[in-house]
Amino acid sequence: MCRNITTLRGLEPVATDVEIEAAARQYVRKVGGVQSTSARTEEAVERAVAAVAEATRVLLAELPERRQPPPTLPPLRRREATAHAASEAG
């Protein structure tokens, strides 16, 4: 389940709040079966995203350091790396 959520532990620099929230949002949408929020679902989804994001911050802070970096960059960092590479090439 949630195979698209990338590993945030062991990133250099550490995972940002934006990356943590994005992972939490993916998890909540997957578990809740919610593609996009509506007036009926928005409050519950946002509350769950905040709770999962906070639990993720605590988990990342309490786990020991990884010996190896994660196998892939999170999607937000991939976009940054692509944009950086394009600006250097151009």
Side-chain angles (χ1 to χ4, degrees):
M1 188 171 178
C2 296
R3 285 180 251 172
N4 293 333
I5 297 175
T6 57
T7 302
L8 298 178
R9 180 176 166 226
L11 295 177
E12 281 298 327
V14 297
T16 65
D17 284 340
V18 172
E19 290 169 322
I20 291 170
E21 184 177 326
R25 191 164 301 283
Q26 285 179 311
Y27 174 80
V28 169
R29 285 181 175 169
K30 180 72 169 190
V31 170
V34 177
Q35 293 293 321
S36 60
T37 59
S38 68
R40 290 177 47 195
T41 62
E42 186 171 13
E43 186 177 333
V45 167
E46 292 305 316
R47 195 170 34 251
V49 168
V52 171
E54 182 56 27
T56 301
R57 284 185 198 91
V58 170
L59 176 66
L60 292 175
E62 292 180 357
L63 288 174
E65 289 186 27
R66 282 180 68 122
R67 293 181 182 202
Q68 296 180 352
T72 61
L73 287 176
L76 295 174
R77 292 190 186 195
R78 280 187 226 135
R79 285 186 224 134
E80 290 172 4
T82 302
H84 181 72
S87 68
E88 284 186 347

